[in-house]
C-alpha cells in the first residue's frame, strides 16, 4: 500500500504496539502530527508543556511499564530540548525511542531555520541514532530503532526525519516486530560452575544489586538466590525494588548515602556478588578500599561493564534472570550463620534514624507516605536530598515502583516522569517527591497533569535552598553557602492553584496526615508544600573519595 512517510511512521508505531506518545508539535513534524490526528483513536498523544517534559514522561512511562517510551519533537530547539531527557534515559538504561523532525534534505547543513545536527549531538548519549534520508528506508529504520532500544542492555535510540521524507510516498508492507531474545550465548557451564565453587567456598558473601535486576524482571529469581546463598543483600539507588526492602536479608542501600550496615558488609565480605550493577563512583567511592578482602563475581548483560570500574575475579555475561535461574538450579543451600549474625548485629547497632525535635522532618514525611500508601504506590523523585530521603525511608518491595534519575542526576525529572508513570499505570497511585529547587525547574508540567486530569500527588520537601549542594557547603566548604539559598519569594500554593491543582501548605507533623489523606481522595493533581528546616542534612553520608566504611552519621 502506498503511504506518505508520516503515515508509514504511524503504521510502524502501531506494529510496535505503541499506545502513547509524549510530544510537542512544530513545523518540521507537522506532517507527522497530521497523521497522528487521523489515528488518534489508536495512539494517544500527550501534549506536554515543554519537550524536556515529554522526554521525562516517556522515560517514566518506560520505567513504570517495562515498555518502550516514545517522545516526539520538532527540529532545532525542539530536538535539543529532548537532549537532557535522552541522556537521563541513557545513563539509567531506559528503553526509549525519540523521534525528531528536521529541515528538508536540500536544506541540511546550510544553517537553515531551526536546523541542528541532532544525530551528532546525541551520538554519545544514545545506543544508536539515525537520520532517514530516503523514504524507502523509513519503515526498516523505525523497526530497527525499537529493536535496538530493547535488546541486550536497554537504552534510548533517536530517529531524525527530514520534513520532506514525511511527505514523500512509498510502498508500505506491514511486518511483525522481531522478537527480543534473551542474551544467553555467553553463559557457559564453566562460568556457572566457577560461580558455584565461589559461592560454596565463601563464608562471608554479600549480594550487591543494581538496576539490571529490574530490567531483567528477575526479582523472584534474586530472592530465591539470596535465600539459598544465605547472604545479606544491598542495592544501588537504581536497584531499589529489585529486592524487597522488608526482607530479613536486606541491609539497605550501599554507598555514599547507604546504610552503615551495607557499607560495613561490603568492606568485610569475602565474596561480593554484583548482579546487574555497574560499580558507580557513588557506590565504590575510594576504589582501592572497596571490598578489599573480597573476590568479585560480576553478573551483567553488558560486557563493557566488566572490569570497567572494579576488577572482577570471575564474571558471567548474560541476561540476569537466566543466569540466576541456572545458578538456582544447581546451587545447594548454604549456611553462613556467623556472618549473618554479624550483619544482624550491624543492622541493630546502626539503623537508619533521625532526631525528632518537634519540627516537620523530611524523614517523617517519607515514612508517613509509606505507611498511608501501604507501600503500594509508584514513587518518582526529583534529585538531591529529597531523592535520598525517599530512597532511605520508603520501603520499596516491588520492581518499577521507584523511578528516579540515578546516573545523570537530573533536577526537574520527577514531575514529567510522574506523569508518564501515571499514564502507563492509570489504576495505580503515583507520587512525586520533590525539592523546591527541582520542582520549580519543570513545574510547568502541572499544566499537563491538569489537561489530562491525572490525579497525581506531588510532595515538596521545601527547605528554601538547593539542599544537597548546601549540605556539601556545610560539611566541606566551611559553611560558605554560595548561591544555594533560593529566597525567591515564590508562593508555591498560588502557583499550583493558578494551574488548577490543589495545594496545601504544611508546617507541622500534625498537618501532614490530614492533607495527604485529602490528596489520596482527590481527583485532581495535588501539591503538598512541606516546609522543612534548611539545616536538615541527609545521613548517613560518605565523603567523596573516602572508603565507604567511613560513614558520617548525624551528630
Amino acid at each position: 500500500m502506498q503511504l506518505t512517510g508520516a503515515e508509514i511512521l504511524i503504521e510502524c508505531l502501531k506494529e510496535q504496539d505503541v499506545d502513547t506518545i509524549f510530544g510537542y508539535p512544530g513545523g518540521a513534524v507537522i506532517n507527522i502530527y497530521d497523521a497522528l490526528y487521523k489515528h488518534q483513536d489508536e495512539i494517544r498523544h500527550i501534549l506536554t508543556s515543554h519537550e524536556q517534559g515529554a522526554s521525562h514522561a516517556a522515560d517514566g512511562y518506560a520505567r513504570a511499564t517495562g515498555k518502550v517510551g516514545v517522545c516526539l519533537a520538532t527540529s532545532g530547539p525542539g530536538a535539543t530540548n529532548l537532549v537532557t531527557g535522552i541522556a537521563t534515559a541513557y545513563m539509567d538504561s531506559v528503553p526509549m525511542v525519540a523521534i525528531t523532525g528536521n529541515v528538508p534534505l536540500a536544506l541540511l547543513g546550510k544553517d537553515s531555520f531551526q536546523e541542528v545536527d541532532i544525530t551528532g549531538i546525541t551520538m554519545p548519549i544514545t545506543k544508536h541514532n539515525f537520520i532517514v534520508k530516503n523514504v524507502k528506508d523509513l519503515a526498516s529504520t523505525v523497526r530497527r530503532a525499537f529493536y535496538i532500544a530493547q535488546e541486550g542492555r536497554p537504552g534510548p535510540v533517536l530517529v531524525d526525519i527530514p520534513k520532506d521524507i514525511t511527505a514523500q510516498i512509498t510502498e508500505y508492507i506491514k511486518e511483525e516486530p522481531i522478537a527480543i531474545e534473551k542474551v544467553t550465548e555467553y553463559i557457559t557451564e564453566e562460568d556457572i560452575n566457577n560461580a558455584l565453587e565461589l559461592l560454596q567456598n565463601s563464608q562471608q558473601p554479600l549480594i550487591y544489586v543494581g538496576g539490571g535486576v529490574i530490567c531483567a524482571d528477575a526479582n523472584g529469581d534474586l530472592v530465591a538466590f539470596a535465600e539459598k546463598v544465605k547472604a545479606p543483600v544491598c542495592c544501588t539507588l537504581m536497584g531499589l525494588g529489585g529486592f524487597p526492602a522488608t526482607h530479613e536479608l536486606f541491609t539497605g542501600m550501599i554507598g555514599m548515602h547507604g546504610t552503615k550496615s551495607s557499607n560495613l558488609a561490603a568492606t568485610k565480605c569475602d565474596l561480593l556478588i554484583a548482579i546487574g550493577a555497574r560499580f558507580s563512583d557513588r557506590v565504590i567511592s575510594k576504589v582501592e578500599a572497596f571490598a578489599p578482602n573480597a573476590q568479585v563475581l560480576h553478573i551483567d548483560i553488558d560486557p563493557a561493564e566488566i572490569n570497567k570500574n572494579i576488577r572482577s575475579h570471575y564474571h558471567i555475561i548474560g541476561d540476569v534472570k537466566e543466569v540466576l535461574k541456572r545458578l538456582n538450579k544447581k546451587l545447594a543451600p548454604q549456611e553462613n550463620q556467623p556472618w549473618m549474625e554479624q550483619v544482624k548485629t550491624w543492622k541493630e547497632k546502626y539503623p537508619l534514624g533521625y532526631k525528632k525535635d518537634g519540627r516537620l522532618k523530611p524523614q517523617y514525611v517519607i515514612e508517613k507516605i509509606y505507611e498511608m500508601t501501604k507501600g503500594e504506590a509508584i514513587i518518582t523523585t526529583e534529585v538531591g536530598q529529597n531523592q535520598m530521603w525517599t530512597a532511605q525511608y520508603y520501603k520499596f518491595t516491588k520492581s518499577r515502583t521507584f523511578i528516579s534519575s540515578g546516573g545523570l542526576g537530573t533536577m526537574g525529572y520527577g514531575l514529567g516522569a510522574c506523569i508518564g508513570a501515571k499514564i502507563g499505570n492509570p489504576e495505580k497511585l503515583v507520587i512525586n517527591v520533590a525539592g523546591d529547587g527541582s520542582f520549580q525547574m519543570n513545574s510547568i508540567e502541572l499544566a499537563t497533569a491538569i489537561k489530562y486530569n491525572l490525579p497525581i500527588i506531588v510532595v515538596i520537601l521545601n527547605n528554601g535552598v538547593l539542599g544537597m549542594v548546601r549540605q556539601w557547603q556545610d560539611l566541606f566548604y566551611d559553611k560558605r553557602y554560595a548561591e544555594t539559598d533560593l529566597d525567591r519569594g515564590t508562593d508555591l500554593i498560588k502557583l499550583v492553584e493558578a494551574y488548577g491543582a490543589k495545594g496545601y501548605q504544611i508546617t507541622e507533623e500534625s498537618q501532614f496526615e490530614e492533607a495527604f489523606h485529602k490528596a489520596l481522595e482527590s481527583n485532581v493533581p495535588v501539591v503538598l508544600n512541606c516546609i522543612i528546616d534548611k539545616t536538615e542534612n541527609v545521613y548517613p553520608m560518605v565523603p567523596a573519595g573516602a572508603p565507604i566504611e567511613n560513614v558520617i552519621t548525624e551528630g
Side-chain angles (χ1 to χ4, degrees), residues 439 446 457-460 493 496 501-504 525-529:
F439 174 74
L446 277 176
I457 301 172
V458 179
V459 178
I460 304 173
I493 298 301
V496 166
K502 288 183 180 179
Y504 297 94
V526 177
V527 177
L528 307 182
N529 188 31

Side-chain angles (χ1 to χ4, degrees), residues 166-183:
T166 65
Q168 292 172 9
I169 296 175
T170 193
E171 184 71 15
Y172 163 76
I173 300 173
K174 183 178 179 179
E175 292 185 10
E176 290 298 317
I178 299 172
I180 306 297
E181 300 290 342
K182 290 184 178 181
V183 177

Side-chain angles (χ1 to χ4, degrees), residues 332-482:
Q334 308 292 298
E335 289 296 336
N336 299 298
Q337 195 61 32
W339 173 237
M340 292 309 301
E341 288 296 329
Q342 174 63 78
V343 173
K344 183 181 178 182
T345 300
W346 286 332
K347 288 173 67 175
E348 291 171 351
K349 186 176 181 180
Y350 306 114
L352 283 174
Y354 57 97
K355 293 179 181 177
K356 298 184 179 182
D357 54 14
R359 296 177 295 179
L360 181 64
K361 293 283 188 172
Q363 301 93 334
Y364 165 85
V365 170
I366 303 302
E367 286 180 332
K368 206 67 183 174
I369 293 172
Y370 172 75
E371 176 190 320
M372 295 183 70
T373 62
K374 298 179 173 61
E376 292 297 322
I378 294 174
I379 307 290
T380 68
T381 79
E382 300 292 348
V383 167
Q385 289 179 316
N386 65 87
Q387 180 186 38
M388 293 299 109
W389 283 318
T390 304
Q392 291 174 336
Y393 287 92
Y394 194 100
K395 296 180 177 67
F396 294 94
T397 59
K398 299 175 183 176
S399 65
R400 305 194 183 281
T401 57
F402 176 72
I403 296 173
S404 190
S405 172
L408 197 64
T410 305
M411 291 178 67
Y413 165 83
L415 183 52
C418 186
I419 288 168
K422 184 64 176 177
I423 292 289
N425 296 272
E427 76 291 350
K428 292 185 179 179
L429 174 63
V430 185
I431 300 167
N432 180 43
V433 179
D436 48 308
S438 289
F439 174 74
Q440 291 185 73
M441 283 191 168
N442 276 332
S443 61
I444 53 173
E445 294 305 335
L446 277 176
T448 308
I450 289 293
K451 174 179 171 63
Y452 294 100
N453 193 30
L454 303 175
I456 60 173
I457 301 172
V458 179
V459 178
I460 304 173
L461 301 176
N462 188 344
N463 53 12
V465 296
L466 297 177
M468 190 58 85
V469 184
R470 188 186 191 280
Q471 177 168 333
W472 279 58
Q473 291 170 336
D474 181 38
L475 297 174
F476 310 120
Y477 289 84
D478 200 26
K479 302 186 186 304
R480 294 187 296 275
Y481 301 123

Side-chain angles (χ1 to χ4, degrees), residues 79-285:
T80 56
N81 283 342
L82 294 179
V83 168
T84 297
I86 293 170
T88 301
Y90 182 73
M91 290 291 283
D92 291 344
S93 304
V94 178
M96 177 195 291
V97 171
I99 300 165
T100 55
N102 214 326
V103 299
L105 287 169
L107 296 180
L108 286 173
K110 297 184 178 180
D111 294 331
S112 305
F113 177 67
Q114 290 193 333
E115 179 201 0
V116 295
D117 177 12
I118 194 62
T119 54
I121 290 169
T122 60
M123 189 175 292
I125 56 167
T126 52
K127 277 188 76 177
H128 199 77
N129 63 27
F130 304 88
I131 180 167
V132 181
K133 294 186 176 181
N134 188 324
V135 69
K136 294 180 180 178
D137 298 329
L138 178 58
S140 61
T141 300
V142 173
R143 291 163 182 153
R144 191 176 171 205
F146 275 84
Y147 179 81
I148 292 171
Q150 298 171 84
E151 61 89 26
R153 180 178 182 171
V157 179
L158 180 133
V159 180
D160 191 39
I161 311 173
K163 184 175 181 179
D164 50 341
I165 297 298
T166 65
Q168 292 172 9
I169 296 175
T170 193
E171 184 71 15
Y172 163 76
I173 300 173
K174 183 178 179 179
E175 292 185 10
E176 290 298 317
I178 299 172
I180 306 297
E181 300 290 342
K182 290 184 178 181
V183 177
T184 60
E185 61 266 34
Y186 305 114
I187 307 172
T188 67
E189 282 300 304
E190 182 182 2
D191 288 338
I192 295 296
N193 290 333
N194 285 337
L196 291 169
E197 185 177 354
L198 279 176
L199 292 165
Q200 288 159 359
N201 292 333
S202 169
Q203 295 181 326
Q204 298 180 178
L206 173 67
I207 299 171
Y208 154 52
V209 175
V213 168
I214 295 170
C215 289
D217 292 323
N219 308 55
D221 305 278
L222 175 62
V223 170
F225 177 73
E227 290 175 347
K228 273 195 168 187
V229 178
K230 281 292 191 297
V233 180
C234 64
C235 72
T236 67
L237 183 73
M238 289 291 93
L240 287 171
F243 189 86
T246 52
H247 197 288
E248 63 177 357
L249 295 176
F250 190 63
T251 60
M253 213 164 47
I254 185 175
M256 179 173 282
H257 293 292
T259 63
K260 191 164 184 176
S261 54
S262 289
N263 288 2
L264 285 172
T267 304
K268 302 298 182 182
C269 69
D270 65 9
L271 175 63
L272 183 73
I273 309 155
I275 306 177
R278 61 187 181 88
F279 292 99
S280 157
D281 59 294
R282 287 296 174 103
V283 168
I284 63 175
S285 195

